[in-house]
Amino acid sequence: MESRNVTTITLLGFPDLRGFRITFFLFVLMIYITTICGNLLVIIVVSNSKSLHCPMYFFLAQLTTLDIMVTSDVVPYMLHVVLHNGSSMLLSQCLMQFFFFCSFESSECLLLTVMSYDRYLAICHPLHYSSKMSPMLCSIFVVVAWLFSFIITSVQTINLSRLQFPRSNIIDHFFCELDPIIQLSTSNTLYIETVKIYLCVPVILLPFLMIVVSYGYIVHAILRMQSAVGQKAFTTADLI
């Protein structure tokens, strides 16, 4: 346990930047500030405009909030790594960054699935949309997405914390990701790799399939609407 507590992770970042390090730092910083301001603007507009108080924009505000959190979890320390041409952190800090990054990313995947379901109801079942997508149900969807993501990521983070690591490790990256952390371990990581595959099913595979199916129904419904309008136009022309 003691060896794991004092383990340090060294992130190399971008060692080949050399003379372009400051330029790259300022470029990334500008993109980061623009991203944060753009997302905050969306949240403010949705919150203050009563005409946008509907499920679609509610989910959009949640998605932009997650985007801010994902970006803020990675970019600030990335800028630190770039500015100092590499940096070190404790293993516990590395696992914490991994936990928040994966939690926010998983929440985004689940939230995109909810948004596709919302659009499916709005287009394919417009008469029942208001009754099915109530404000309470929208809030439940968001809370479940957050909780499920935190639970799934907690499982993998706890498994990683139980691995054995040397006292000093080097990652050729600018933030702590799952695969580089696993590669550093001196323990048998077969169990971790297996769990990773199983956890990808509810977080990535199933949401992807549900999004594809939802938008498949949406495209089919739109084509049917266009076909009906076209047939009606031809019928009207014949009568004239």
Side-chain angles (χ1 to χ4, degrees), residues 58-59 134-144:
F58 171 73
F59 293 135
S134 63
M136 177 63 70
L137 183 61
C138 293
S139 300
I140 291 175
F141 276 143
V142 172
V143 171
V144 170

Side-chain angles (χ1 to χ4, degrees), residues 75-196:
V75 176
Y77 195 81
M78 170 189 168
L79 293 173
H80 175 76
V81 171
V82 171
L83 192 61
H84 295 85
N85 200 24
S87 183
S88 298
M89 64 169 63
L90 296 176
L91 175 63
S92 57
Q93 295 173 324
C94 186
L95 293 178
M96 188 66 67
Q97 186 186 50
F98 162 78
F99 170 78
F100 285 116
F101 175 77
C102 289
S103 296
F104 298 148
E105 283 291 328
S106 300
S107 298
E108 283 189 334
C109 292
L110 297 176
L111 194 56
L112 287 172
T113 307
V114 174
M115 293 176 72
S116 68
Y117 175 70
D118 170 72
R119 292 299 85 201
Y120 161 76
L121 287 179
I123 295 175
C124 299
H125 302 282
L127 298 179
H128 303 284
Y129 178 72
S130 299
S131 61
K132 290 187 176 181
M133 292 301 293
S134 63
M136 177 63 70
L137 183 61
C138 293
S139 300
I140 291 175
F141 276 143
V142 172
V143 171
V144 170
W146 280 72
L147 288 179
F148 186 74
S149 300
F150 283 143
I151 293 172
I152 290 293
T153 310
S154 296
V155 172
Q156 194 68 303
T157 305
I158 292 173
N159 289 332
L160 286 174
S161 66
R162 293 175 177 173
L163 297 177
Q164 296 286 341
F165 293 90
R167 289 180 178 271
S168 180
N169 301 274
I170 297 177
I171 294 179
D172 189 10
H173 210 340
F174 55 87
F175 79 103
C176 292
E177 217 175 6
L178 179 60
D179 289 336
I181 297 175
I182 291 177
Q183 293 171 6
L184 292 177
S185 176
T186 57
S187 305
N188 185 357
T189 60
L190 179 60
Y191 175 73
I192 301 289
E193 297 282 357
T194 305
V195 172
K196 179 182 73 172

Side-chain angles (χ1 to χ4, degrees), residues 40-54:
L40 286 176
L41 180 62
V42 171
I43 295 173
I44 292 172
V45 170
V46 171
S47 300
N48 295 330
S49 179
K50 292 184 178 180
S51 62
L52 300 181
H53 289 177
C54 60

